[in-house]
Amino acid sequence: MKNKILSIFFFLLFITIVSAQNKVRVYGYIIDTNNRGIELASVYFENTSTGTSTNNNGYYELIMDIKDSATIVYSMVGYKTIKHTIKPHQQVIQISVELPALSKEMSELNVVGQRRQTSTVDMLDPSKYRVIPNSAGGIESLLITFTGVSSSNELSSQYNVRGGNFDENAVYVNGIEVYRPLLVKAGQQEGLSFINPDMVKNVKFSSGGFDAKYGDKMSSVLDIDYKKPTEFEGTFSLSLLGASAYVGTANKKFTQMHGIRYKTSQSLLGTLDTKGVYKPSFIDYQTYMTYQLNPKLELTFLGNFSQNSYIFIPDSSVTEFGTYNTGRKLTIYFEGQEKDLFQTAFGALTLNYKPKAGMKLSLLASAFNTNENETYDILGEYVLSEVKMELDAENKDGGTLGIGKYQEHGRNELNATVANVGHLGEYEFNNHKLNWGLTLQAEIISDKISEWQWRDSVGYSLPYSDQQVNLYYNLKAKTDLNTWRSSAFFQDTYKVEGESGTMLLTGGLRAGYWNFNNELLLSPRFSVAILPHWKQDYSFRFATGVYYQSPFYKEIRDTISDALGNLEVKLNSNIQAQRSLQFVLGGDHYFRAWGRPFKFTTEAYLKLADRVESYSIDNVRIRYSGENDAKAYTAGVDFKLFGELVPGADSWINLSLMNSKEDIIGDSYVKNSYDDNGDIVSSETIYPGWLSRPSEQRYTFSMLFQDYLPNNPKYKMHLKFIWSDGLPIAAPSNSQYSTAFRVADYRTPPYRRVDIGASRVLVNGKDEIMNKTWLKHVESIWLNLEVFNLLDFKNVNSYYWVTDISGQQLATPNYLTGRQLNVKLMVDLK
């Protein structure tokens, strides 16, 4: 089947290239006398209906049959019109023109009107990146190529920002904070993220130093605006990883969007070392409706239901690891299965009132419910052996180093409901923009945990005892939580205009209270942005403030051990919100090179945190200590070059450098010295001090590059590349080895990944094949061919620790997905 699809793809490529021989492609930029791109300028062939308008960078592109000569007209209101005559000596012609303003006032107005980043929030138009290779299927895959953002698991939509963990990222859709399931422990269980890419209008993202209007998270904010269709529109797609469908309609008062998505990562999971039967099935329905009650009053509804089902029946796993001289192979034979079911529902009702120009008042009510069930019984029998570095595969197997068994059992159920009501306000007058808000939220959570692990090594149950059989790990608990919290904020943005430039000052205060720990939080925040009127285009910004990580259910769970070593959960009502003082200093330089627009961004940051909760990460599950037991700091610098490396196609290159450390208060371990007989001769208590945080990636390099065939830009290529530092690792269930590992700063290997895609678009009215009557309601058809993990890097996600009777642990890597081919078809309706 794959070979047939490839044959069709390259046949279309050949036919299109041949048919394009008589067409001439003209492209370029329209700029003003200040070397800035002019948006929405008209470009057309004289005396024809063939034309276009420039994008926000001033870029245009025209394709037309030209037999003798043709005249191109460049025009824009307030600028002088220019004409250019061409002859078809070449199939591809680049023409860039400079339009002089008709008056000095128009030139100055254009300078002021240029869009520039005036806060730590960066903006992205998702419609430009629909065909970027994306194994996770969500909008979050684009965030990984932003400065300060990293991820080491392509199966998950979760991401780390500047040393923080997954739970420190706030996500808003239309001003309402959204949540994700709580029990997910592995990327293959995760399914679809809340955000439906087909319904997104704008993406705003901040890596830190964000305004007071955003909630109590310490790392980042992802702010999504859903679109309001103005006429009928629709999209459906089909690929080896799933399918989706979207439709939107509108009339004078009522607009509606409906989207349904289905995802299966079965083909991706088939590239893992663990072989067996994978049955992942993820489905999601979402709707957004608006009704204009009168010119000043609007009612909106956002609804979502999702069901993530994951069934796994493992068979066997063969993992080779180690070095050339000390090669190892772990072979595991499995019995049992895992069945997980996560169901979430979300609804939000908003009433928007605009009493006068510049003012908007909103009343919001929303509810979120998640019902999660995780059940597994898996028995594994393993053989650890040597691997000889022989070229002949038959002679590679060496001697057996150890054998053992383990069994993992779990029956976990969680039901959580979060409901809130709130008010948001916005008022613009003179040079001020005021924002304020108030929210009251109730949280009802019921959690039942029953999970244990049994391990046997060389016939001995671990941890070993000659009196009884012990479990390696055992946790059983039943917890109920019923709390409420409130929050409020107020901020003002003041704009100062002067001859030397423009300055925007933003100051705000956020307050929060939670009745569980009776803690009142006050979070002042301030930022300033300066846009100087220099000959060269620069902008600068600085932000500072106090940021809290208001604890949720996972952060307050403290595990207590009884006399027999069994663990139970106790909710810590003395927990305090984690707190950080943040500083962000950044700037942008806008310039043109090779006639194309670019932006170079630099941001330096410092985060000083106290009342920190230490945690560990296994795959995508975060386990908190349940106590404020640490202090931390994170410092770094991010660089980003954004622009058109190829005319008309956005690309970017990022480099992030970071140092993130924490000091767990009162932690220590004993370091023993041994004689030749293996007896302890001396012991020393080590207090490790500052250690790498679990999410520290000291460097991250990422790149997104887009290209196309010069004589036929409908054939496009997209490449995404990530190379980031490995994450710190520690031996689990053994505090002494865990701390010693962290002192030695052992890490996973660097995460490296290259995804590449090729696409062909067929456009109604421009491609002859699209002129069929039965295709009259089809606007465009995209055929994408993608290769995930092109270079087949073996990235490490986590480790399985093989333990012998003496308690020594050997880390066996759990590798992520290998190379995988995907074919995707997307159809846009009109």
Side-chain angles (χ1 to χ4, degrees):
M1 180 64 182
K2 291 181 180 178
N3 291 333
K4 290 183 179 180
I5 294 175
L6 286 171
S7 300
I8 295 172
F9 183 85
F10 288 111
F11 175 74
L12 287 173
L13 174 63
F14 174 76
I15 292 298
T16 307
I17 293 175
V18 171
S19 64
Q21 296 302 311
N22 295 326
K23 295 182 180 296
V24 175
R25 172 175 172 255
V26 183
Y27 71 95
Y29 298 88
I30 300 180
I31 60 175
D32 61 16
T33 53
N34 293 310
N35 209 27
R36 297 184 175 95
I38 300 177
E39 186 178 3
L40 298 178
S42 297
V43 185
Y44 59 92
F45 285 100
E46 194 172 38
N47 300 321
T48 72
S49 59
T50 302
T52 187
S53 57
T54 57
N55 65 12
N56 59 332
N57 291 322
Y59 178 80
Y60 75 93
E61 181 180 303
L62 291 172
I63 298 178
M64 185 176 174
D65 287 318
I66 301 177
K67 296 181 180 179
D68 184 16
S69 63
T71 300
I72 304 177
V73 180
Y74 303 88
S75 65
M76 177 66 181
V77 175
Y79 293 86
K80 182 180 178 181
T81 299
I82 291 179
K83 297 183 178 182
H84 195 100
T85 302
I86 61 172
K87 295 184 178 182
H89 298 311
Q90 296 175 290
Q91 285 188 306
V92 180
I93 303 173
Q94 179 178 356
I95 302 175
S96 295
V97 300
E98 179 183 293
L99 296 184
L102 292 177
S103 65
K104 181 179 179 182
E105 289 76 13
M106 176 60 67
S107 178
E108 292 177 350
L109 179 62
N110 182 64
V111 172
V112 176
Q114 292 290 316
R115 288 194 295 268
R116 294 294 181 259
Q117 185 174 338
T118 57
S119 69
T120 60
V121 177
D122 202 358
M123 297 187 67
L124 177 72
D125 181 2
S127 63
K128 295 183 178 181
Y129 310 104
R130 295 178 59 199
V131 291
I132 300 300
N134 184 356
S135 59
I139 203 78
E140 293 85 355
S141 64
L142 281 177
L143 301 182
I144 298 173
T145 57
F146 274 59
T147 53
V149 183
S150 63
S151 174
S152 300
N153 189 340
E154 64 273 6
L155 294 172
S156 172
S157 61
Q158 302 305 313
Y159 49 92
N160 306 105
V161 180
R162 292 178 174 172
N165 65 40
F166 309 142
D167 295 332
E168 296 177 12
N169 305 315
V171 180
Y172 291 84
V173 176
N174 289 356
I176 302 168
E177 187 171 5
V178 297
Y179 300 86
R180 65 186 183 96
L182 301 176
L183 285 183
V184 173
K185 69 176 186 294
Q188 49 265 43
Q189 298 174 318
E190 193 171 293
L192 294 158
S193 72
F194 182 92
I195 303 164
N196 187 329
D198 292 331
M199 302 171 71
V200 173
K201 177 184 178 182
N202 290 320
V203 176
K204 291 175 280 188
F205 182 77
S206 173
S207 298
F210 38 86
D211 292 340
K213 66 180 180 179
Y214 294 116
D216 295 315
K217 301 289 186 179
M218 290 200 304
S219 287
S220 75
V221 167
L222 173 61
D223 191 1
I224 301 292
D225 290 327
Y226 274 4
K227 55 189 175 183
K228 291 174 58 177
T230 57
E231 58 184 2
F232 175 82
E233 59 185 40
T235 298
F236 71 85
S237 65
L238 181 67
S239 78
L240 299 179
L241 298 179
S244 68
Y246 155 79
V247 63
T249 64
N251 57 34
K252 292 183 178 180
K253 289 190 174 183
F254 181 67
T255 72
Q256 60 179 327
M257 294 192 299
H258 303 274
I260 186 168
R261 296 177 291 167
Y262 170 75
K263 176 184 175 182
T264 174
S265 52
Q266 190 168 5
S267 60
L268 273 177
L269 298 178
T271 65
L272 298 174
D273 284 345
T274 302
K275 305 303 178 184
V277 178
Y278 290 92
K279 295 181 180 179
S281 177
F282 314 117
I283 191 167
D284 165 276
Y285 166 75
Q286 201 159 144
T287 182
Y288 179 57
M289 296 179 284
T290 71
Y291 184 73
Q292 197 74 38
L293 299 170
N294 59 52
K296 295 184 177 182
L297 199 61
E298 179 191 51
L299 185 66
T300 73
F301 174 75
L302 174 64
N304 169 265
F305 174 79
S306 68
Q307 176 174 291
N308 298 341
S309 173
Y310 178 73
I311 299 176
F312 175 42
I313 306 174
D315 179 67
S316 63
S317 173
V318 178
T319 304
E320 293 187 0
F321 60 100
T323 64
Y324 183 87
N325 295 321
T326 58
R328 298 289 184 265
K329 181 170 73 172
L330 181 68
T331 304
I332 308 177
Y333 301 96
F334 296 101
E335 294 180 18
Q337 64 179 347
E338 176 179 355
K339 288 185 177 181
D340 304 322
L341 182 64
F342 306 91
Q343 294 178 325
T344 63
F346 175 83
L349 198 63
T350 304
L351 183 66
N352 297 316
Y353 177 54
K354 297 181 179 179
K356 61 180 181 179
M359 176 175 284
K360 180 180 178 181
L361 305 175
S362 301
L363 294 176
L364 307 92
S366 68
F368 167 81
N369 176 262
T370 178
N371 188 22
E372 307 174 24
N373 291 273
E374 183 184 50
T375 62
Y376 55 88
D377 272 299
I378 297 178
L379 175 66
E381 299 180 353
Y382 66 82
V383 177
L384 181 65
S385 59
E386 291 181 320
V387 177
K388 296 179 180 179
M389 296 300 135
E390 302 286 347
L391 295 178
D392 187 357
E394 296 181 357
N395 298 323
K396 291 184 67 175
D397 291 339
T400 299
L401 299 176
I403 59 174
K405 298 180 182 180
Y406 70 90
Q407 183 174 358
E408 296 180 347
H409 167 93
R411 297 290 187 273
N412 300 327
E413 300 177 10
L414 184 141
N415 186 280
T417 299
V418 179
N420 62 58
V421 293
H423 162 66
L424 293 176
E426 178 182 310
Y427 182 40
E428 292 187 56
F429 64 98
N430 298 332
N431 290 328
H432 291 270
K433 182 178 181 180
L434 304 180
N435 292 90
W436 65 89
L438 176 66
T439 301
L440 182 64
Q441 178 169 294
E443 299 160 0
I444 304 171
I445 299 174
S446 177
D447 188 17
K448 297 179 182 179
I449 304 174
S450 177
E451 55 186 33
W452 51 262
Q453 295 180 22
W454 168 76
R455 293 192 183 184
D456 173 278
S457 179
V458 201
Y460 292 92
S461 179
L462 299 176
Y464 173 71
S465 170
D466 57 3
Q467 301 294 324
Q468 59 188 5
V469 176
N470 293 320
L471 290 174
Y472 184 76
Y473 164 78
N474 181 26
L475 175 61
K476 192 174 184 67
K478 184 180 185 301
T479 308
D480 293 297
L481 181 68
N482 191 339
T483 62
W484 63 268
R485 72 178 77 208
S486 61
S487 63
F489 74 88
F490 178 84
Q491 72 176 47
D492 179 20
T493 299
Y494 180 63
K495 185 177 181 180
V496 181
E497 297 278 6
E499 293 184 0
S500 58
T502 302
M503 178 183 296
L504 288 92
L505 302 169
T506 301
L509 178 66
R510 187 174 188 90
Y513 175 79
W514 193 24
N515 75 326
F516 176 75
N517 58 359
N518 293 317
E519 183 179 25
L520 176 65
L521 307 176
L522 294 177
S523 175
R525 304 175 190 180
F526 171 78
S527 66
V528 57
I530 300 174
L531 285 71
H533 292 169
W534 295 346
K535 185 175 182 180
Q536 295 193 15
D537 237 338
Y538 286 91
S539 65
F540 305 96
R541 56 187 171 274
F542 171 77
T544 186
V546 177
Y547 293 81
Y548 290 93
Q549 180 73 19
S550 185
F552 199 59
Y553 175 65
K554 288 197 301 183
E555 288 96 322
I556 64 176
R557 295 196 316 182
D558 190 5
T559 52
I560 307 298
S561 177
D562 63 17
L564 298 177
N566 299 311
L567 297 176
E568 61 181 18
V569 171
K570 178 183 177 182
L571 301 184
N572 183 7
S573 60
N574 295 319
I575 199 77
Q576 292 180 296
Q578 301 178 77
R579 178 175 58 188
S580 70
L581 175 62
Q582 301 186 13
F583 303 90
V584 179
L585 177 64
D588 302 314
H589 175 37
Y590 301 83
F591 63 97
R592 304 187 80 87
W594 309 290
R596 305 167 203 156
F598 289 90
K599 181 177 78 169
F600 181 71
T601 298
T602 302
E603 278 195 355
Y605 58 90
L606 173 65
K607 298 191 286 187
L608 306 174
D610 64 352
R611 310 195 314 196
V612 172
E613 278 192 72
S614 62
Y615 62 90
S616 61
I617 303 176
D618 182 16
N619 204 305
V620 298
R621 172 176 284 183
I622 300 175
R623 294 188 182 274
Y624 292 93
S625 66
E627 299 177 347
N628 301 109
D629 56 357
K631 55 185 178 180
Y633 72 86
T634 302
V637 60
D638 297 328
F639 305 96
K640 179 177 181 178
L641 178 64
F642 178 92
E644 299 182 1
L645 297 176
V646 175
D650 291 340
S651 301
W652 60 75
I653 300 172
N654 299 324
L655 175 64
S656 297
L657 304 174
M658 176 181 63
N659 182 24
S660 183
K661 297 291 188 289
E662 69 180 9
D663 182 7
I664 299 178
I665 300 170
D667 66 328
S668 64
Y669 69 97
V670 177
K671 181 179 180 181
N672 297 322
S673 299
Y674 300 87
D675 59 19
D676 295 337
N677 298 323
D679 297 326
I680 298 176
V681 296
S682 64
S683 298
E684 180 185 5
T685 301
I686 303 297
Y687 298 92
W690 294 97
L691 302 174
S692 296
R693 302 203 75 190
S695 299
E696 182 196 50
Q697 290 180 289
R698 296 166 297 187
Y699 62 86
T700 298
F701 177 85
S702 61
M703 177 178 70
L704 178 67
F705 176 69
Q706 300 188 86
D707 200 357
Y708 50 79
L709 293 180
N711 62 338
N712 196 331
K714 295 176 183 177
Y715 286 93
K716 301 180 184 296
M717 186 278 294
H718 322 271
L719 184 143
K720 185 169 65 174
F721 173 63
I722 299 173
W723 187 309
S724 60
D725 188 22
L727 293 170
I729 61 175
S733 303
N734 188 320
S735 59
Q736 175 172 332
Y737 282 126
S738 178
T739 306
F741 261 64
R742 295 188 65 192
V743 170
D745 203 17
Y746 290 112
R747 293 175 178 266
T748 62
Y751 181 83
R752 300 164 296 169
R753 186 174 178 87
V754 178
D755 294 337
I756 192 169
S759 62
R760 166 67 164 102
V761 61
L762 300 170
V763 181
N764 201 318
K766 295 184 180 181
D767 290 277
E768 186 175 351
I769 194 175
M770 297 290 289
N771 294 332
K772 308 293 184 181
T773 304
W774 57 278
L775 291 174
K776 63 180 180 179
H777 294 297
V778 176
E779 183 175 351
S780 62
I781 299 176
W782 287 87
L783 180 63
N784 299 342
L785 179 66
E786 302 170 329
V787 182
F788 303 128
N789 197 1
L790 176 68
L791 302 181
D792 202 23
F793 289 123
K794 294 183 73 67
N795 292 308
V796 175
N797 179 35
S798 59
Y799 287 90
Y800 175 73
W801 295 86
V802 180
T803 311
D804 62 20
I805 190 174
S806 64
Q808 293 182 334
Q809 301 188 21
L810 181 66
T812 304
N814 296 316
Y815 292 113
L816 284 163
T817 58
R819 184 188 297 115
Q820 180 66 28
L821 178 70
N822 184 45
V823 179
K824 185 175 183 180
L825 176 71
M826 293 191 302
V827 179
D828 295 329
L829 305 176
K830 61 179 181 178

